[in-house]
Each structure stands twice: as structure tokens, then as C-alpha cells.
Amino acid sequence: MARQPIFNVPGGVTLAIALIVLVHLGLSLLPDEQQLRTKLMLAFRPTRYTFEPGFPIDTWPGGKWWSFISHQFVHGDVTHLLMNSAWLLAFGGALAKRIGNLRFALLGLASGIAGAVVFLALRYGEPVPMVGASGAVSGLMGAAFRFFFNDEHYGGVGNVREDPRTVPRLSLREAFTNRQVLVMVGIWAALNFVTAAFAHLLTDGAGIAWEAHLGGFLLGLLAFALFDPPPPPAPEWPPPPDSEAPTLH
């Protein structure tokens, strides 16, 4: 039996973590005032979309467009960065192996954008900057729920650990009637509620953008099929008539 390496992280996950770590390190080298100004420039801010922006920086050309993506690479502190990196490792590996690094990146970015859209809809006009990859990570988690709980360990077929592509994707109807999926969604929702309620204790006064978590999660859960390529064809057996029959000894 072939031995699997202890650390077998796909390149897409490694690159995603490396990018957010490098951005955080780069910002930490700036003087405090310039670091804050740069974070505000890259952050997603609902006041950018009002007729009377809350800060002069909200009027910068292009900011209302680039911040849908740029906010995903900025983190408030080391704890915030480590938490998102850990979730990326937990759910990103099997997902990237299943759909490929490019689709993995597109799904993550799309989930982060969806999170920003929901944040904007629910916090419109508020001068609250939002940063972090939590919306993207929530989307990857929601996508993973569409096949994690359909492997042989849960009574399905295929093996997520050995080859995630062998596990059939749950339809939306199957996902919303699958006990394991419903339990995990409930746990995820409860964790978000608790962290949002006690954010002032967990993040030194900063808030938790639960709206972005919700938007990203729903995008990943509902739209996963758009990013999930068809599984590899099963080997044909018995072989077709025109193939060479095996020689028996």
C-alpha cells in the first residue's frame, strides 16, 4: 500500500495562504498611520456606495470595485489571519483536489464577492470597514458540504481523503435532507451567532462580519455545481468488442 505524505496540500491552497500571509506581513511593515490608511483603502466599506461618502478615501476612483476582491486579502490581526488560514487548510485541500486549483480560486473569490454583496445589503450606508477572507472561506466550506457527507464513511460511495473526485455531489435537495449536512450547517450557524454576539471579547473591540460569512456560505453551497467538473469516467468493463482480449495462461 502506497504511503501518503503527512502534508499533502494542493498548490491552490498553499498559494492562497501564502498571499494573505504576505499581504499581512507587508502591511505590518508600514508606519501605523500609513498601515491604517492602506487597510481602509483596501477594505470593503458600505459608505463607498452612498451619495455622501463617510470619508474622503471612499471617493477614490475604482475603490468601489476593487474592494470587492482586495478586502479578502487583508486581515485585522494575527489571530484573524491564523483562523482563516486554518479553515483554508481544513476545507480547502479536498476541494482543490476535486475541482482543480483554478476553479478553487474562482470559487473562493466569488464567495468573497457574494459575502461583500450581502454585507452591503444589510449594512448599507454604515461607515464600517470589512476585511478578511472569511466570506471566501465560508463559501469553500459550504461547497465542501455538497460532497463531504456523501463519502463511504457516511454511508455513501467514494473516499474524500483518497480521491475527492470519487464522491458524488449531493443535489441541493439531497443536501437539504441529509442529516449530517443539516447538523453541520446548524453548528456553523451557531458558531457564527456566538462569535458575532461576543465579538467585542474575541477581537479586542472589532466586530464580526457575519453577513459576509452568510453570503459566502450560501454562494458556495448553492452554486457549487457551477464549479464542480464532471467526475472521471469509470473504466469500461467488460472491454468493448474491438479491444484486444487479455491473454490467459
Side-chain angles (χ1 to χ4, degrees):
M1 179 181 296
R3 299 183 61 183
Q4 297 294 325
I6 297 177
F7 299 104
N8 187 18
V9 183
V13 178
T14 303
L15 179 60
I17 294 175
L19 283 174
I20 60 177
V21 169
L22 288 174
V23 169
H24 189 79
L25 289 176
L27 290 173
S28 67
L29 298 176
L30 299 176
D32 290 345
E33 183 177 350
Q34 187 176 356
Q35 181 182 153
L36 177 59
R37 184 174 179 83
T38 304
K39 284 187 176 181
L40 287 175
M41 181 184 70
L42 298 174
F44 186 84
R45 297 174 58 84
T47 47
R48 279 193 168 113
Y49 306 90
T50 62
F51 292 105
E52 297 180 2
F55 295 91
I57 200 171
D58 291 334
T59 63
W60 282 26
K64 63 174 58 179
W65 304 115
W66 77 54
S67 60
F68 275 99
I69 293 178
S70 61
H71 82 274
Q72 301 180 44
F73 297 92
V74 181
H75 289 80
D77 54 29
V78 174
T79 301
H80 190 200
L81 175 68
L82 291 177
M83 288 180 62
N84 278 335
S85 298
W87 284 113
L88 268 172
L89 282 173
F91 287 93
L95 191 57
K97 290 177 184 177
R98 179 185 177 97
I99 66 177
N101 291 322
L102 178 58
R103 288 186 176 93
F104 172 81
L106 292 176
L107 175 58
L109 290 174
S111 299
I113 292 172
V117 169
V118 174
F119 186 81
L120 174 62
L122 299 180
R123 305 290 291 270
Y124 182 76
E126 296 185 24
V128 182
M130 179 186 69
V131 295
S134 300
V137 171
S138 295
L140 299 177
M141 187 183 305
F145 285 179
R146 291 285 297 276
F147 66 94
F148 263 32
F149 303 106
N150 200 32
D151 90 337
E152 58 191 19
H153 180 72
Y154 296 95
V157 296
N159 190 302
V160 165
R161 185 171 182 177
E162 297 296 331
D163 186 355
R165 296 174 300 173
T166 63
V167 182
R169 180 180 67 243
L170 291 171
S171 68
L172 285 175
R173 180 178 180 180
E174 291 171 332
F176 286 119
T177 55
N178 182 288
R179 182 176 180 180
Q180 287 81 19
V181 173
L182 294 177
V183 168
M184 290 304 299
V185 169
I187 293 173
W188 176 85
L191 286 174
N192 272 273
F193 175 80
V194 171
T195 54
F198 298 97
H200 60 290
L201 299 177
L202 301 172
T203 59
D204 194 25
I208 298 293
W210 62 267
E211 303 91 342
H213 298 184
L214 176 62
F217 184 83
L218 289 177
L219 187 286
L221 182 68
L222 300 177
F224 176 57
L226 300 178
F227 299 87
D228 191 29
E236 187 175 355
W237 190 259
D242 59 346
S243 66
E244 183 177 350
T247 303
L248 302 179
H249 295 280

